């Protein structure tokens, strides 16, 4: 049937009409203000300083070109009895930055909005609530009226009209909603024409003919969401040339979309889903109706609370005289058990039979799933919109052939254009000086090329650019949430998961230099040992090569000597609670060293003597971690680099002579690069000493410092972790004792000016204690048997990006001689290395750096001795990329 007016002409005319009503230029006049939440007066001028108290006061004086800014809740009806002019409307707006504002509220039996016999009026940001007596919004005999973000939400036992238009022309409803006790939700009467209802949200009661009713000429309902009504959208008798397009109509207790005797209706690109009865129904004297590009699924649901005895359950149904002029094509109507997809006159059945009976549906499909809707619509169908319900233009899928028709062969069926957007993926790499490089090169594009990346560094700094890599320097070093957003050529946006940037700390080697010796009044005012239960606070920044600012932790070799009883030492940040961990354990009269990495607060650290006797303390600083420039760390092995017993790292099996110095090349060996190495970390062990003595490990080519790394008595085997600066690729090991001693060194990592990992300090906490079951999966408490090992998981640290963990490990209550090897679980054999050596009954501590396999996050503690031993491990920090 030939139409007297094309749908293209109708849409253009409606768009032109809406443009005048919703987007006019403001006249150069002052604004009026209504605000009953502050001191106000209806006798004033409605200025911002003294606003009107009521809407009626503003409505009585407002003139063309003025905007009334409204704040608050009012128990009155906004009645606008004045008009604007084309280009200079009267406007009532919720105060604030439009449109991201709160509503002004009209509440109670007298509430609502009335516009009668006016033109060029706009209302935006209003909400009507309470037991309203009449229509929540009533507009009559008016033209060029614009309602935007107006929500009719009345409550009560009796339903009232939500938004009712009578005799209204050339107007627009944008994002106008209705819910609650409304009947109907939005209605356009037979004398209302050229009105566009766009992006409405309707959720109404079941006691009316439709959520949205259209009875006049040349009206459009576009991009609405309609659910919970007796019927979703109804186009009734007398209506002509109505466009119902790109709407989502679902879970209604009656029909989805009904065309009852209306002429020239275009029903296009709607999603009509899960309604109680027929999805799209055309009946009566309807003529010239087009039903195309719709996604019609799962209608006729028996599980919904339909009206008793409800019948007519189909996908698309066309009855009566309507069969002579209705076009049905390019729809997706998958079958549903117990529900025929089509009715045509008296016929009901499947797609193939429908085609034979009706001559329609040549391009309809019966498959389920959204993929059949992609690039398969008829863009020449009456009512087809050039943008979908989100404002997106058609996008050509590279994965599917174009089976559509019309000027755009790749338009989609239904109200939403399917577009595969990018998937944002990015990594964070810390650079020296609290600088981060964010790399989003791994982002996966969708159907369009990525045109921009937006980086939010979490400290208020943002940058948008075409490239996927951005670098930022933080003014204040600290943890920040970093986010990357990618946008492609189809305007598809992907926001990557927020990733926490926790700046690690580069390492700066120094010395070694003595910063504490209670025997010599170094670092203390006198030569007094630390008392039983006493705490010594040591300033560690601002001297000895350590800057006053930016230091996060220090690395020291700490030695306890001349203890008058058994005891242990706990080192912790100044001003923080004392943890339950220990750093050194000793027996009466024994000298015990241990390397300590300790977080710094206010430039100081505390040394607490937990023994019942006194003890002298010595601390040699070997480096510090900083928020500024420094070296990164690369974990290794452990790998044996020196053993004077086996001629490893030396030319013969000769112990180090009394007063002798052994020079050990470390760069270019055992996995350490030949250049760029600033320091090396080794577990050094002395064994078979013929007399008491101590070992000093220091940079090659420098003077012997006043420092020690290991102390021993005759015949004792003693290990200790050592971090020593590297000069010319070598380090020196000096035997300061009067007897000979064999020396073993196992490399566990190195610091470098190249890329590596950075240190994250932690206030020490206990992760493993076989004496009480801490860290044991079943909580059992038992010592580690000779030849066996215990495993400890660090999933929490691996989740933070840890590649190695720094532990203070202590063995206690050993029943026989032995040594402990601590290593990461990489599925390789037990390494030829030791971390702690002991004799029966000894308690021995040592700092250990353990590489972590991110696949299992496991550190293994292997007892190589013949007897049993208890193992305790305290976390002091970790390294991560």
């Amino acid at each position: 049937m030939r139409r007297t007016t094309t749908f293209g002409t109708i849409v253009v005319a409606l768009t032109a009409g809406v443009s005048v009503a919703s987007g006019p230029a403001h006249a150069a006049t002052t604004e009026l203000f209504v605000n009953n939440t502050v001191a106000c007066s209806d006798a004033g001028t409605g200025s911002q300083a003294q606003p009107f108290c009521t809407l009626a006061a503003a409505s009585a004086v407002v003139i063309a070109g003025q905007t009334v800014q409204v704040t608050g809740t009012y128990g009155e009806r906004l009645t606008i009895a004045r008009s604007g002019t084309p280009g200079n409307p009267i406007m009532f707006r919720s105060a604030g930055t439009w449109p991201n504002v709160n509503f002004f509220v009209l509440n109670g039996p007298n509430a609502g909005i009335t516009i009668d016999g006016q033109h060029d009026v706009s209302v935006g940001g209003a909400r009507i609530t309470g037991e309203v007596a009449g229509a929540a919004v009533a507009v009559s005999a008016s033209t060029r009226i614009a309602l935007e973000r107006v929500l009719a939400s009345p409550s009560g036992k009796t339903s009232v009209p939500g938004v009712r238009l009578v005799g209204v022309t050339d107007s627009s409803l944008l994002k106008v909603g209705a819910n609650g006790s409304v009947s109907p939700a939005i209605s356009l009467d037979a004398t209302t024409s050229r009105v566009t209802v766009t992006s409405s949200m309707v959720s109404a009661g079941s006691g009316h003919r439709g959520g949205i009713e259209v009875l006049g000429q040349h009206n459009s309902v576009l991009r609405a969401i309609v659910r919970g009504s007796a019927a979703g959208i109804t186009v009734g008798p007398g209506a002509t040339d109505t466009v119902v397009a790109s709407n989502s109509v679902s879970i209604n207790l009656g029909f989805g979309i009904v065309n009852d005797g209306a002429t020239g209706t275009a029903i296009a690109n709607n999603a009509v889903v899960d309604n109680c009865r027929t999805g799209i129904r055309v009946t009566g004297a309807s003529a010239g109706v087009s039903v195309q590009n719709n996604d019609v699924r799962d209608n006729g649901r028996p599980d919904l609370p339909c009206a008793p005895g409800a019948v007519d359950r189909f996908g698309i149904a066309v009855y009566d005289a309507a069969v002579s002029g209705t076009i049905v094509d390019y729809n997706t109507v998958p079958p549903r058990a117990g529900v025929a997809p089509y009715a045509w006159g008296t016929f009901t059945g499947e797609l193939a039979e429908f085609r034979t009976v009706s001559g329609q549906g040549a391009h309809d499909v019966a498959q389920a799933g959204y993929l059949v809707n992609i690039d398969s619509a008829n863009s020449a169908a009456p009512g087809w919109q050039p943008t979908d319900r989100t404002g997106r233009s058609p996008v050509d899928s590279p994965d599917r052939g174009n089976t559509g028709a019309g000027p755009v062969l790749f338009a989609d069926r239904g109200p939403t254009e399917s577009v595969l957007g990018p998937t944002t993926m990015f990594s964070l790499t810390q650079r020296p000086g609290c600088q981060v490089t964010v790399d989003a090169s791994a982002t996966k594009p969708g159907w369009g090329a990525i045109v921009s990346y937006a980086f939010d560094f979490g400290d208020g700094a943002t940058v948008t650019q075409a490239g996927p890599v951005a670098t930022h320097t933080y003014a204040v070093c600290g943890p920040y949430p970093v986010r990357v957003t990618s946008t492609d050529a189809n305007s598809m946006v992907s926001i990557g998961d927020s990733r926490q940037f926790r700046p690690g700390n580069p390492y700066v080697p120094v010395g070694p230099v003595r910063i504490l010796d209670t025997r010599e009044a170094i670092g203390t005012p006198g030569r007094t040992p630390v008392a039983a239960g006493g705490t010594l606070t040591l300033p560690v920044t601002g001297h000895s090569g350590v800057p006053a600012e930016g230091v996060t932790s220090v690395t020291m070799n700490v030695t306890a000597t001349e203890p008058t009883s058994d005891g242990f030492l706990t080192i912790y940040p100044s001003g923080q609670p004392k943890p339950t961990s220990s750093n050194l354990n000793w027996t009466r009269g024994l000298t015990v060293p241990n390397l300590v990495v300790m977080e710094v607060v206010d430039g100081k650290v505390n040394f607490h003597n937990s023994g019942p006797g006194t003890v002298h303390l010595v601390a040699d600083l070997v480096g510090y971690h900083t928020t500024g420039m420094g070296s990164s760390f690369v974990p290794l092995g452990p790998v044996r680099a020196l053993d004077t017993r086996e001629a490893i790292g030396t030319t013969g099996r000769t112990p180090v002579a009394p007063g002798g110095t052994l020079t050990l090349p470390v760069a270019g060996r055992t996995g350490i690069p030949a250049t760029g190495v600033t320091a090396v970390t080794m577990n050094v062990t002395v064994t078979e000493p013929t007399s008491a003595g101590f070992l000093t490990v220091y940079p090659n080519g420098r003077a012997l410092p006043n420092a020690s790394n290991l102390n021993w008595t005759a015949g004792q085997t003693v290990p200790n972790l050592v971090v020593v600066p590297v000069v010319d690729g070598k380090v020196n090991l000096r035997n300061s004792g009067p007897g000979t001693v064999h020396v073993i060194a196992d490399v566990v990592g190195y610091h470098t000016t190249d890329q590596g990992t950075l240190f994250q300090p932690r206030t020490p906490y206990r992760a493993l204690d076989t004496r009480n079951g801490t860290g044991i999966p079943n909580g059992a408490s038992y010592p580690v048997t000779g030849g066996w090992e215990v495993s400890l998981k660090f999933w929490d640290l691996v989740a933070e990006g840890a590649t190695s963990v720094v532990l203070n490990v202590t063995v206690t209550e050993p029943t026989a001689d032995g040594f402990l090897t601590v290593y990461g679980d990489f599925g390789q054999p037990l390494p030829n290395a030791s971390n702690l050596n002991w004799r029966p009954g000894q308690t021995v501590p040592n700092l250990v750096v353990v590489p972590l396999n991110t696949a299992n996050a496991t550190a293994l503690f292997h007892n190589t001795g013949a007897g049993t031993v208890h193992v305790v491990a305290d976390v002091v920090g970790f390294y991560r990329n």
Side-chain angles (χ1 to χ4, degrees):
M1 184 175 194
R2 187 175 297 276
R3 303 177 188 276
T4 57
T5 306
T6 68
F7 280 93
T9 304
I10 293 171
V11 172
V12 170
L14 285 170
T15 304
V18 172
S19 176
V20 173
S22 63
H26 285 257
T29 58
T30 59
E31 295 177 315
L32 300 179
F33 294 87
V34 179
N35 187 350
N36 61 9
T37 67
V38 298
C40 58
S41 173
D42 284 347
T45 60
S47 65
Q48 190 169 15
Q50 190 179 51
F52 291 127
C53 297
T54 63
L55 296 166
S59 182
V61 298
V62 65
I63 61 173
Q66 284 187 320
T67 298
V68 180
Q69 302 279 8
V70 185
T71 301
T73 298
Y74 300 86
E76 61 179 301
R77 193 169 190 88
L78 172 58
T79 300
I80 304 176
R82 291 174 168 237
S83 294
T85 60
N88 291 287
I90 287 174
M91 303 178 72
F92 279 76
R93 283 282 188 267
S94 176
T97 304
W98 187 259
N100 298 316
V101 294
N102 293 323
F103 294 106
F104 69 88
V105 179
L106 307 172
N107 178 261
N110 298 320
I113 298 173
T114 296
I115 304 172
D116 182 22
Q118 307 304 320
H119 57 85
D120 300 292
V121 173
S122 176
V123 179
R127 182 180 180 188
I128 299 97
T129 64
E131 295 191 23
V132 178
V137 179
V139 185
S140 57
S142 299
T143 188
R144 294 190 297 278
I145 306 299
L147 302 180
E148 182 176 357
R149 296 179 186 266
V150 173
L151 176 59
S153 186
S155 60
K157 297 179 180 179
T158 303
S159 295
V160 297
V163 180
R164 183 175 61 192
L165 274 57
V166 177
V168 177
T169 60
D170 299 314
S171 298
S172 67
L173 277 61
L174 175 62
K175 297 184 178 179
V176 171
N179 58 42
S181 300
V182 289
S183 175
I186 299 175
S187 65
L188 283 60
D189 86 324
T191 61
T192 294
S193 63
R194 298 183 301 279
V195 171
T196 301
V197 180
T198 307
S199 300
S200 287
M201 173 74 79
V202 171
S203 177
S206 59
H208 57 85
R209 293 183 58 195
I212 300 178
E213 293 181 337
V214 180
L215 302 175
Q217 300 181 355
H218 308 301
N219 297 300
S220 296
V221 180
L222 310 173
R223 306 186 181 98
I225 297 176
V226 184
R227 59 182 58 186
S229 302
I233 300 174
T234 299
V235 184
T240 60
D241 297 327
T242 305
V243 176
V244 179
S246 302
N247 302 288
S248 174
V249 183
S250 63
I251 319 178
N252 291 286
L253 304 185
F255 303 115
I257 298 174
V258 175
N259 191 85
D260 183 10
T263 301
T265 304
I267 303 173
N269 290 90
N270 301 284
V272 188
V273 181
D274 288 331
N275 295 286
C276 179
R277 301 176 71 179
T278 294
I280 299 177
R281 189 174 193 266
V282 184
T283 187
S286 300
V289 177
S290 172
V291 181
Q292 298 195 56
N293 302 332
N294 300 284
D295 184 6
V296 184
R297 290 177 285 113
D298 294 329
N299 294 286
R301 289 183 53 175
D303 55 322
L304 289 175
C306 306
V311 294
D312 205 330
R313 300 173 183 268
F314 304 101
I316 297 175
V318 182
Y319 298 115
D320 308 322
V323 298
S324 64
T326 298
I327 297 172
V328 177
D329 206 3
Y330 290 93
N331 303 289
T332 299
V333 193
R336 175 181 174 84
V339 176
Y342 295 94
W344 185 266
T346 59
F347 161 81
T348 60
E350 305 292 327
L351 175 58
E353 301 166 285
F354 170 68
R355 287 171 175 166
T356 300
V357 170
S358 66
Q360 299 291 322
H363 301 92
D364 277 15
V365 293
Q367 291 93 337
Y370 75 95
L371 291 177
V372 296
N373 293 332
I374 297 175
D375 297 353
S376 63
N378 177 17
S379 60
W384 178 80
Q385 303 295 302
T387 58
D388 72 356
R389 65 180 308 271
T390 66
R392 184 178 296 119
S393 299
V395 177
D396 192 359
S397 166
D399 303 324
R400 299 184 66 82
N402 298 331
T403 59
V408 182
L409 295 176
F410 48 83
D412 289 359
R413 305 181 188 197
T416 304
E417 181 71 19
S418 295
V419 184
L420 180 63
T423 301
T424 302
M425 303 176 68
F426 64 96
S427 62
L428 307 178
T429 302
Q430 184 179 342
R431 305 296 183 190
C434 207
Q435 187 179 78
V436 64
T437 294
V438 185
D439 189 345
S441 300
T443 296
K444 299 177 181 179
W447 291 350
I450 298 173
V451 296
S452 68
Y453 296 86
F455 299 84
D456 184 341
F457 297 101
D459 63 343
T462 60
V463 62
T464 301
Q465 61 186 40
V469 181
T471 298
H472 175 66
T473 300
Y474 292 95
V476 178
C477 204
Y480 297 98
V482 178
R483 191 180 293 276
V484 180
T485 301
S486 60
T487 303
D488 68 10
N490 295 321
S491 298
M492 294 293 290
V493 175
S494 169
I495 303 175
D497 292 336
S498 177
R499 302 194 63 180
Q500 195 78 1
F501 174 63
R502 296 183 181 271
N505 306 132
Y507 180 75
V508 180
V510 297
V513 57
R514 185 146 291 177
I515 59 173
L516 173 67
D517 191 338
T518 57
R519 303 168 304 178
E520 301 295 334
I522 298 173
T524 63
R527 294 178 170 85
T528 305
V530 181
T535 299
L536 184 154
T537 298
L538 178 67
V540 293
T541 63
H543 63 86
S544 306
V546 181
E549 302 291 338
V551 176
T552 59
S553 63
V554 291
T555 302
M556 305 174 290
N557 196 74
V558 179
T559 303
T561 189
E562 303 177 22
T564 59
S565 69
D566 294 355
F568 66 93
L569 186 74
T570 299
I571 306 174
Y572 59 101
S574 176
Q576 303 295 309
K578 183 176 71 69
T580 59
S581 59
S582 65
N583 298 92
L584 288 91
N585 299 68
W586 58 79
T587 55
R588 183 174 181 269
L590 193 65
T591 296
V592 178
N594 197 15
L595 190 72
V596 174
V597 179
M598 184 51 54
E599 187 177 6
V600 174
V601 175
D602 295 330
K604 309 179 189 74
V605 295
N606 290 338
F607 297 75
H608 182 81
N609 173 15
S610 296
T614 63
V615 65
H616 277 292
L617 298 179
V618 180
D620 297 318
L621 181 74
V622 297
Y624 63 91
H625 292 96
T626 174
T627 59
M629 305 294 286
S631 303
S632 59
F633 179 74
V634 179
L636 292 175
V639 182
R640 184 142 292 179
L642 173 68
D643 190 340
T644 58
R645 303 168 306 176
E646 302 293 336
I648 298 173
T650 64
T651 57
R653 294 179 172 85
T654 305
V656 183
T661 299
L662 187 155
T663 298
L664 178 65
V666 291
R669 300 184 178 191
T670 62
I672 301 175
T675 60
V677 178
T678 61
V680 64
T681 302
M682 305 180 293
N683 196 73
V684 179
T685 304
V686 294
T687 190
E688 303 176 21
T690 58
S691 69
F694 66 91
L695 188 77
T696 301
V697 187
Y698 62 102
N700 179 57
R702 294 187 183 173
L704 177 68
N706 177 29
S708 66
N709 297 92
L710 292 93
N711 301 67
W712 62 80
T713 58
Q716 188 181 19
T717 297
V718 178
N720 199 17
L721 194 70
V722 173
V723 181
V724 58
V726 174
V727 176
D728 296 330
K730 308 178 187 75
V731 298
N732 291 340
L733 297 95
R734 167 81 177 208
N735 173 16
S736 295
T740 63
V741 66
H742 277 292
V743 182
I744 303 163
D746 298 318
V747 174
V748 297
Y750 63 90
H751 288 89
T752 174
T753 55
D754 204 350
Q755 187 168 346
T757 61
L758 298 175
F759 185 66
Q760 294 277 347
R762 285 288 184 269
T763 299
Y765 67 90
R766 185 139 297 173
L768 174 69
D769 192 337
T770 59
R771 299 171 303 179
N772 58 27
T774 299
I776 307 299
N778 59 4
S781 56
Y782 50 82
V784 183
T785 304
W788 290 81
E789 59 192 24
V790 62
S791 64
L792 180 61
K793 299 288 187 181
F794 291 99
W795 287 117
D796 56 333
L797 300 185
V798 168
E800 292 191 58
T803 58
S804 58
V805 61
V806 182
L807 305 170
N808 195 74
V809 180
T810 303
V811 293
T812 190
E813 303 175 23
T815 59
D817 290 351
F819 66 90
L820 189 75
T821 300
V822 187
Y823 62 105
D825 183 5
F826 290 86
Q828 297 181 355
L830 177 71
N832 178 29
S834 65
N835 297 93
L836 292 92
N837 300 66
W838 60 79
R839 289 178 178 175
Q842 268 190 321
T843 296
V844 179
N846 198 13
L847 198 69
V848 175
V849 180
V850 189
L852 292 177
N853 182 348
T854 56
N856 57 42
T858 300
L860 300 172
F861 300 75
H862 187 89
N863 175 14
T864 312
T868 63
V869 66
H870 277 293
V871 181
V872 180
D874 298 320
V875 174
V876 299
F878 63 91
Y879 289 94
R880 73 175 179 189
N881 291 322

